[in-house]
């Protein structure tokens, strides 16, 4: 799959711009603040119907304007496909593929997969559990439509349940029947998500381990484990068991929204034990594994978006990463860098066709 063209209208710093991408590797260069990250995020937006960095659509609207429009032409089997995202302000958003508007944005997810690597992604390694769940959800949502559906249901019901519990702590009045109804809806969705995560991680985590060994050039044994309250208890039983605690704390203490993936090295927590270099190796191992899994499921490469990775990565890790993804003929990679010469040198060393866009 390739993105051939991108048009941005009133999107962040782009008032109206049109780009064409002709080569498998596209280097994007320019000084700080010219819009390199914004350009990658626009591509991400077309693939996911949302920004990688922010939940709020309105922050992507150019200051002083009311809405934005993004348009991309993707080439893949059965294509070309023209994808358009239009945001008109106040939550009015439309996504179309070849002029056909989706009923639900979720129908679009996974059709044009992409993998982003951005500087703050190191949070997946050193941050709380949320960025790890998000990482997991991003992969599974792109390869498993039912997973995404269950996740949407789960999050909606969980929010309603939490509102009810919070009301109870404030008013001491409880609609028990409603809570039972919500639990009856939450349980199957949560159980389904747990089952999918568990099955997925059984093959995914060994893949990460393998990539980590390749990237770091060592046989350092990582331990990667799925951690969930549902590992030992079915979710419906766990929900019943936690109800009294939920009532006095005013929130849902049990469920797959508490899941985590634990990284360890020599039985110590990875984030405390590992050096900067080891953290980067693990991050790139996770992302390369994401790339592999999506490629295997789709039968084509997801677009790879690499934001400022030269800042973070030494030459040999960078080379390894690009070698891994560029030996597939259909891979398209976007790489940003502030140093034009460094980017040109790095891409020149690669035996792959590339173009440089100077912003
Ligand atoms: N909503 C917006 N409207 C106009 N400009 C914006 C908006 N959001 C961000 N910007 C501008 O985008 C620029 C940052 O772009 P970014 O892609 O992060 O740059 P780079 O990655 O090249 O350093 C800043 O100059 C910022 O002022
Ligand atoms: Mg940037």
């Amino acid at each position: 799959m390739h993105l051939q063209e991108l048009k941005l209208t009133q999107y962040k710093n782009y008032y109206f711009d049109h780009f064409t991408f002709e080569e498998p590797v596209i280097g994007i260069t320019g000084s700080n603040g010219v819009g390199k990250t914004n350009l990658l995020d626009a591509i991400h937006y077309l693939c996911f119907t949302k920004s990688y960095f922010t939940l709020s659509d309105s922050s992507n609207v150019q200051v002083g304007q009311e809405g934005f429009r993004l348009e991309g032409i993707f080439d893949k089997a059965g294509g070309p496909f023209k994808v358009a995202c239009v945001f008109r302000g106040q939550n009015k958003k439309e996504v179309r593929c070849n002029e056909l508007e989706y009923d639900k944005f979720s129908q679009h997810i996974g059709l044009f997969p992409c993998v982003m690597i951005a500087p703050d992604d190191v949070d997946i390694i050193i941050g709380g559990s949320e960025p790890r769940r998000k990482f997991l959800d991003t992969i599974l949502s792109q390869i498993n439509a039912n997973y995404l559906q269950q996740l949407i249901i789960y999050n909606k019901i969980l929010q309603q349940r939490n509102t009810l519990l919070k009301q109870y702590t404030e008013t001491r009045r409880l609609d028990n029947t409603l809570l039972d109804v919500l639990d009856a809806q939450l349980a199957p969705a949560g159980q389904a998500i747990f089952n999918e995560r568990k099955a997925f991680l059984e093959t995914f985590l060994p893949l990460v381990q393998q990539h980590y060994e390749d990237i770091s050039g060592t046989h350092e044994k990582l331990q990667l484990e799925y951690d969930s309250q549902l590992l030992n208890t079915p979710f419906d039983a766990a929900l019943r068991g936690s109800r009294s605690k939920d009532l006095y704390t005013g929130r849902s203490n049990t469920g797959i929204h508490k899941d985590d993936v634990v990284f360890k090295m020599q039985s110590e927590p990875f984030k405390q034990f590992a050096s900067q270099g080891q953290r980067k190796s693990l991050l790139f191992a996770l992302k390369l594994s994401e790339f592999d899994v999506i490629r295997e499921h789709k039968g084509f490469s997801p677009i790879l978006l690499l934001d400022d990775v030269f800042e973070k990565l030494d030459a040999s890790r960078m080379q390894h990463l690009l070698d891994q993804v560029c030996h597939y003929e259909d891979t398209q990679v976007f790489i940003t860098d502030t140093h034009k010469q460094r980017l040109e040198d790095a891409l020149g060393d690669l035996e792959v066709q590339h173009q440089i866009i100077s912003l």
Side-chain angles (χ1 to χ4, degrees):
M1 179 177 74
H2 290 110
L3 178 64
Q4 296 175 322
E5 276 185 61
L6 175 66
K7 279 186 202 164
L8 310 96
T9 310
Q10 297 174 16
Y11 182 84
K12 293 206 165 174
N13 63 308
Y14 296 95
Y15 179 64
F16 181 77
D17 280 278
H18 183 184
F19 297 92
T20 49
F21 309 118
E22 278 135 13
E23 304 294 350
V25 177
I26 297 115
I28 299 163
T29 183
S31 36
N32 278 321
V34 289
K36 301 182 295 298
T37 302
N38 293 346
L39 193 63
L40 294 194
D41 202 28
I43 298 172
H44 182 277
Y45 202 107
L46 284 171
C47 296
F48 279 94
T49 74
K50 62 178 188 200
S51 159
Y52 188 70
F53 301 100
T54 162
L55 278 175
S56 128
D57 284 314
S58 47
S59 65
N60 295 321
V61 176
Q62 184 159 78
V63 173
Q65 308 295 341
E66 281 176 6
F68 68 79
R69 178 187 182 88
L70 294 172
E71 220 174 271
I73 298 185
F74 291 87
D75 181 32
K76 67 166 188 173
F81 297 92
K82 184 168 112 183
V83 177
C85 297
V86 185
F87 178 68
R88 298 176 198 279
Q90 284 162 357
N91 292 329
K92 277 185 285 180
K93 183 156 103 177
E94 293 152 27
V95 183
R96 288 194 207 92
C97 184
N98 284 345
E99 309 303 341
L100 252 120
E101 191 176 339
Y102 293 101
D103 296 328
K104 293 178 184 154
F105 301 145
S106 59
Q107 295 167 325
H108 182 71
I109 309 301
L111 296 181
F112 305 95
C114 82
V115 173
M116 170 86 87
I117 308 184
D120 287 347
D121 284 345
V122 70
D123 272 357
I124 298 170
I125 316 286
I126 60 172
S129 59
E130 197 184 337
R132 282 186 289 284
R133 281 192 301 277
K134 188 179 160 201
F135 172 71
L136 198 56
D137 288 339
T138 302
I139 306 175
L140 278 161
S141 301
Q142 292 185 92
I143 61 176
N144 183 338
N146 181 52
Y147 181 89
L148 178 57
Q149 226 45 57
Q150 298 300 325
L151 193 63
I152 291 168
I153 294 170
Y154 185 90
N155 288 333
K156 198 176 102 197
I157 309 285
L158 182 68
Q159 203 178 10
Q160 291 173 2
R161 191 178 191 271
N162 283 337
T163 306
L164 194 69
L165 292 169
K166 188 152 179 289
Q167 271 169 11
Y168 170 73
T169 61
E170 285 158 5
T171 64
R172 291 287 143 189
R173 274 200 298 272
L174 179 69
D175 185 341
N176 253 310
T177 322
L178 180 56
L179 190 54
D180 287 343
V181 169
L182 291 178
D183 282 6
Q185 293 172 338
L186 194 66
Q191 191 67 48
I193 292 165
F194 167 78
N195 293 342
E196 297 286 1
R197 284 181 181 172
K198 187 162 181 291
F200 171 73
L201 287 170
E202 273 164 21
T203 53
F204 185 73
L205 295 180
L207 186 63
V208 177
Q209 166 78 46
Q210 186 57 55
H211 272 306
Y212 181 82
E213 286 183 19
D214 292 347
I215 295 169
S216 61
T218 64
H219 290 289
E220 293 164 350
K221 268 289 167 214
L222 279 176
Q223 290 132 287
L224 307 159
E225 282 159 26
Y226 181 32
D227 184 24
S228 174
Q229 295 162 329
L230 276 60
L231 282 169
N232 300 313
T233 321
F235 189 29
D236 50 359
L239 262 180
R240 279 195 300 277
S242 109
R243 186 176 281 197
S244 71
K245 184 177 177 189
D246 292 354
L247 284 172
Y248 75 74
T249 56
R251 60 194 158 83
S252 303
N253 295 282
T254 305
I256 52 97
H257 59 288
K258 300 278 178 184
D259 281 4
D260 201 352
V261 179
V262 182
F263 306 135
K264 286 186 189 160
M265 204 171 183
Q266 297 180 21
S267 305
E268 298 289 331
F270 187 86
K271 65 177 152 191
Q272 285 157 32
F273 193 82
S275 68
Q276 292 275 0
Q278 288 167 324
R279 287 176 187 175
K280 286 176 208 163
S281 295
L282 180 53
L283 176 63
F284 281 80
L286 287 164
K287 295 284 183 164
L288 270 177
S289 305
E290 177 181 11
F291 179 92
D292 284 352
V293 164
I294 293 174
R295 191 185 150 80
E296 195 180 308
H297 265 263
K298 304 290 170 193
F300 59 85
S301 294
I303 292 175
L304 195 59
L305 305 172
L306 306 177
D307 193 23
D308 280 345
V309 286
F310 287 103
E311 297 291 344
K312 301 269 167 187
L313 220 58
D314 53 75
S316 72
R317 280 201 193 84
M318 188 67 207
Q319 194 63 42
H320 176 86
L321 176 79
L322 290 171
D323 284 347
Q324 291 278 311
V325 297
C326 287
H327 79 254
Y328 300 114
E329 258 179 27
D330 66 331
T331 302
Q332 190 182 29
V333 189
F334 292 83
I335 310 176
T336 68
D337 194 18
T338 39
H339 296 60
K340 189 173 182 188
Q341 197 55 50
R342 174 168 64 182
L343 188 63
E344 278 176 347
D345 291 347
L347 297 183
D349 287 344
L350 275 180
E351 285 174 18
V352 63
Q353 302 276 80
H354 62 270
Q355 73 186 94
I356 302 262
I357 296 175
S358 299
L359 294 177

